[in-house]
Amino acid sequence: MNFIYFHCFILFISLHGVISNRRNVLDSRICFADGFSFGVATASYQIEGAWNVSGKGEGIWDRYTHAHPEIVVDRSNGDVADGSYYKVKKDVALLRELGISFYRFSIAWSRILPNGLSNYVNEDGIRYYKELLAELRRNHITPVVTMYHFDLPQSLQELGGWTNPIMAEYFVDYARVLLDTFGDEVKIWLTFNEPYTFCEDGYGGIEAPGANSSGFEDYMCGHNVLRAHGMVYRMFDKEYRKKIGGHMGITLDFSWLEPATTSEEDQQAAETARQFYFGWFAHPIFSKSGDYPPIMRSMIDANSKRQGFYHSRLPYFTPEEVKMIRGAYDFLGLNHYTTYLIKHGSRRLGVQPSFVDDMNVIKFQKDEWPKTNSSWLKVVPWGFRKALNWVRLNYRNPKTLITENGVSFERGLRDTKRVNYIDSYLRALHTAIHQDGCLVVGYAYWSFLDNFEWTRGFSERFGLFEVDYQSPNLTRTARLSAKYYTNVAKTGCLPNNFADYTYNTD
Ligand code: PNW
C-alpha cells in the first residue's frame, strides 16, 4: 500500500469505538482511538496573498476589498495576507512540527483558471499547489483539499455568480481540472466550504459579492451550489473513483441551536432553525428522502404566496436533481464553533422578505457564556456534543470529519484561553464519539496561522501560530496552544497535566 493510500485508510477506516492502546491501564487520560486523525485548516484567500501574481485572475474578494475597503473593519485585504504562496517550505516545516497527520487547505479557482473557465489553465497556479503537495508528501502529511472556499473568479461573478444556474457547469469543469491535475496526490476532497455562509452572507448580506438580497439570491445561490455539488460528486463517482480512488464530501457549518426555554413553541422554533441553518444544505444531501427540509419548503412557499409571488422564492429541484444530490457524499465535513439560543419569533422580524423573516425565530447568545474576540463566538463546548448527536440521529450517523473548530483571542503567545477552548471542545467530541456513538474520524483546528478573517480583517486571530504582520517576512511564532495541540496530535490523548499548558510559557 503506498503512503497516501495508507493515510486515507487510516483516516477513513477509523477504529471507531476502539479505545486507544497507546496507554497503559493506570493512565487516566482521555484518549482518541488510534485511527483518529488530527489536523489543521486554512483557506486560500485568507493566507496566500500574491493576489495578482504569476497569472492569477481576480477573485471576488480581491474586487470587493479593493472597491469597498470600508467593509473590512481594519480596511485590510488579502493582497499579501500570510504570504503563504511564497512560504511552502517554511509552512510545511511548521505543520510537521505540530505533529499533525493532515492539512486542510483550499485551492483558489482563479489561480488555476484565471477567467474561471477551463479553456485557459494557469501553469504557475498548478506549479504552486504541486509544490505544496510534494512538500506535504515528503513530510508525511495527508492533504485534505477544499475546491471552493468563498473565492469565486470575478469574471464569473459578472455573470451573476452562484445565482446563475450555469455556474454549476463551470464548477464541474473546474473540478475536472483539479481531479485530472491533482487526483494522484489528493485523495480527500471537499467540494464546498460552508455554502450557508457564502450564500447567506454573500448573496443575502454584505460579505463578497455583497448582493444583500436575502430571501431571493441566497436561495438561488444555495440551489445552484447544491446542484454543483451533486454534479461534481456524480462525475467523481462515475469517472474518477475507480481510476484515482479517494473520498469526496462537503463542509457544512453547524452552530448548535438550543431552545431558549422548555416551552413547546421554543422547542419547535429551535428545530425549525436547525432545519433552516443546517438542513438547508444537509437535508438534500444527507437525509434519506433528499430535497429541502419539508419545514423550509412549506414556510417559504406559504410566505411567498402571502407576499403575492406566483412562484416560491425557494426554487424547486426536478425529481432527477433530488436523486442526483441525495446521497452525494462519502463523508460529511463539519465546521463547528459555537452555540446560540432560539426563541419563537412571535412578530414578523425586520426586512421582508428575508431568510430570517422566513424562519421566524429569534437567535441570541447568553451574556454569561465566555466571550472571545469574535462577537459571534462564545465558548459553549456542550453544544458541540449536541450538534454531533443531532447529525447522528437525523442523517443515519454519517462518517464525519471535523473540518474546522477554533477560536479567536487577542494577540499574544500565552493563549491559555485558546488551550482551554480546544481542550473543552475535544472533551465534548470524545464524549460524542465514545459515549454516544457518533462516527467522527478526525478533527482539524481552525486555524494553523492567524489569517485574513474576511470582513473582520486581521483583527480576529485564530492561529496556533501568531503572524507578525509588521515584520517584512511575516514571522510565524508558535503560541502555547501550538505546544498543547502538538502534544494532543502526537499522543492522541488530552493531557492531564493541563497546568503545563496554562501556566508555563515554554
Ligand atoms: C468559518 N458562525 O466561517 C470559515 O469557514 C472560515 O473561513 C473562517 O475564517 C472561520 O469560520 C472563522 O471565522 C464561519 O457564525 C463563520 O457560527 C461564522 C460562523 C461559523 C463559521
Side-chain angles (χ1 to χ4, degrees):
M1 198 162 9
N2 84 22
F3 169 75
I4 293 286
Y5 277 104
F6 177 71
H7 264 254
C8 292
F9 179 79
I10 290 295
L11 188 59
F12 279 90
I13 314 299
S14 111
L15 300 177
H16 163 61
V18 180
I19 302 293
S20 168
N21 58 14
R22 288 181 185 100
R23 57 200 175 121
N24 63 40
V25 281
L26 297 174
D27 186 348
S28 63
R29 282 177 305 170
I30 287 178
C31 295
F32 288 83
D34 279 346
F36 191 87
S37 303
F38 288 94
V40 289
T42 62
S44 48
Y45 185 73
Q46 297 181 270
I47 63 162
E48 285 179 5
W51 76 279
N52 60 353
V53 166
S54 306
K56 179 180 168 294
E58 191 184 14
I60 55 173
W61 276 91
D62 297 318
R63 172 67 63 92
Y64 198 58
T65 54
H66 294 157
H68 296 284
E70 74 284 356
I71 291 282
V72 180
V73 290
D74 53 6
R75 297 181 75 89
S76 64
N77 56 50
D79 288 3
V80 176
D82 294 351
S84 289
Y85 177 77
Y86 300 106
K87 295 181 186 300
V88 168
K89 282 216 157 30
K90 172 77 190 162
D91 282 351
V92 177
L94 295 181
L95 291 170
R96 179 170 192 148
E97 239 176 66
L98 279 174
I100 48 156
S101 62
F102 73 96
Y103 176 45
R104 172 179 180 236
F105 64 94
S106 79
I107 292 181
W109 187 337
S110 69
R111 201 181 283 292
I112 301 290
L113 306 176
N115 307 312
L117 304 176
S118 59
N119 63 333
Y120 174 65
V121 178
N122 175 32
E123 287 309 321
D124 187 68
I126 306 273
R127 179 211 46 85
Y128 166 63
Y129 294 110
K130 284 225 156 158
E131 255 176 55
L132 175 57
L133 289 168
E135 198 59 19
L136 289 170
R137 173 186 270 273
R138 272 196 284 281
N139 287 278
H140 312 297
I141 297 166
T142 301
V144 173
V145 176
T146 313
M147 294 176 165
Y148 184 87
H149 197 124
F150 304 176
D151 46 356
L152 192 74
Q154 180 62 31
S155 53
L156 298 183
Q157 193 60 51
E158 319 276 301
L159 305 175
W162 291 108
T163 63
N164 187 338
I166 200 159
M167 224 37 60
E169 262 118 272
Y170 293 153
F171 184 69
V172 171
D173 296 347
Y174 164 57
R176 188 183 283 290
V177 173
L178 297 187
L179 291 168
D180 285 338
T181 313
F182 305 115
D184 286 344
E185 290 276 349
V186 179
K187 304 299 173 187
I188 304 170
W189 293 97
L190 294 154
T191 52
F192 290 98
N193 180 69
E194 298 190 354
Y196 166 77
T197 303
F198 71 82
C199 287
E200 195 49 49
D201 297 350
Y203 291 82
I206 57 152
E207 306 254 333
N212 208 0
S213 165
S214 188
F216 287 106
E217 294 188 39
D218 44 1
Y219 296 148
M220 296 177 199
C221 170
H223 200 69
N224 294 319
V225 166
L226 281 161
R227 289 177 50 249
H229 167 77
M231 286 157 69
V232 167
Y233 182 84
R234 296 304 163 199
M235 172 178 80
F236 173 72
D237 213 26
K238 217 166 113 205
E239 299 178 42
Y240 290 89
R241 196 191 288 283
K242 264 222 181 82
K243 208 165 63 197
I244 63 172
H247 309 265
M248 185 173 280
I250 183 170
T251 282
L252 307 180
D253 58 311
F254 192 16
S255 300
W256 177 243
L257 302 165
E258 177 77 6
T261 72
T262 52
S263 77
E264 187 53 37
E265 266 191 337
D266 287 348
Q267 304 279 332
Q268 276 274 323
E271 184 56 20
T272 301
R274 290 170 208 135
Q275 296 293 350
F276 269 73
Y277 281 106
F278 186 64
W280 178 4
F281 292 94
H283 198 277
I285 302 171
F286 294 93
S287 74
K288 204 168 175 181
S289 47
D291 210 340
Y292 291 115
I295 185 80
M296 199 173 171
R297 176 89 272 157
S298 62
M299 285 176 85
I300 300 173
D301 285 6
N303 282 350
S304 301
K305 199 164 177 194
R306 198 169 34 75
Q307 289 157 347
F309 296 101
Y310 284 158
H311 295 283
S312 176
R313 287 177 283 101
L314 182 66
Y316 275 78
F317 292 119
T318 65
E320 294 73 35
E321 285 173 332
V322 169
K323 221 174 126 206
M324 168 187 73
I325 297 165
R326 186 178 60 210
Y329 68 94
D330 301 324
F331 66 99
L332 163 69
L334 194 74
N335 291 355
H336 176 88
Y337 288 87
T338 195
T339 286
Y340 295 90
L341 295 176
I342 298 289
K343 253 183 16 194
H344 176 67
S346 47
R347 62 203 140 74
R348 314 286 328 160
L349 303 162
V351 189
Q352 258 192 73
S354 70
F355 175 74
V356 171
D357 179 73
D358 282 334
M359 184 171 33
N360 197 30
V361 306
I362 299 164
K363 184 175 119 180
F364 62 105
Q365 289 180 310
K366 256 198 186 140
D367 280 343
E368 306 94 273
W369 289 345
K371 292 186 178 43
T372 68
N373 253 28
S374 304
S375 56
W376 54 273
L377 207 176
K378 303 265 180 340
V379 185
V380 194
W382 54 261
F384 194 13
R385 180 180 177 190
K386 288 206 174 189
L388 288 163
N389 276 288
W390 194 90
V391 169
R392 174 174 66 81
L393 293 167
N394 282 271
Y395 305 127
R396 297 161 296 157
N397 206 9
K399 189 178 294 174
T400 300
L401 178 66
I402 305 304
T403 40
E404 289 178 29
N405 169 247
V407 68
S408 76
F409 286 113
E410 54 281 356
R411 282 196 64 175
L413 302 178
R414 283 175 50 86
D415 57 342
T416 54
K417 287 189 276 186
R418 180 174 288 101
V419 171
N420 268 297
Y421 176 97
I422 303 174
D423 197 80
S424 60
Y425 274 71
L426 283 177
R427 272 164 210 273
L429 173 60
H430 187 274
T431 308
I433 297 171
H434 292 282
Q435 281 185 33
D436 309 333
C438 298
L439 186 48
V440 182
V441 298
Y443 169 96
Y445 178 78
W446 179 277
S447 179
F448 169 35
L449 303 166
D450 288 343
N451 61 60
F452 178 75
E453 278 291 335
W454 311 113
T455 50
R456 281 100 57 202
F458 296 101
S459 70
E460 297 183 12
R461 288 162 179 265
F462 282 79
L464 295 176
F465 287 85
E466 176 154 301
V467 176
D468 180 359
Y469 293 102
Q470 308 311 320
S471 76
N473 52 359
L474 299 160
T475 309
R476 287 95 157 107
T477 311
R479 294 195 164 112
L480 206 56
S481 55
K483 184 185 164 205
Y484 163 85
Y485 196 59
T486 304
N487 183 301
V488 171
K490 287 189 172 165
T491 62
C493 300
L494 306 181
N496 272 341
N497 51 343
F498 201 59
D500 281 2
Y501 300 97
T502 23
Y503 301 114
N504 299 336
T505 40
D506 55 18

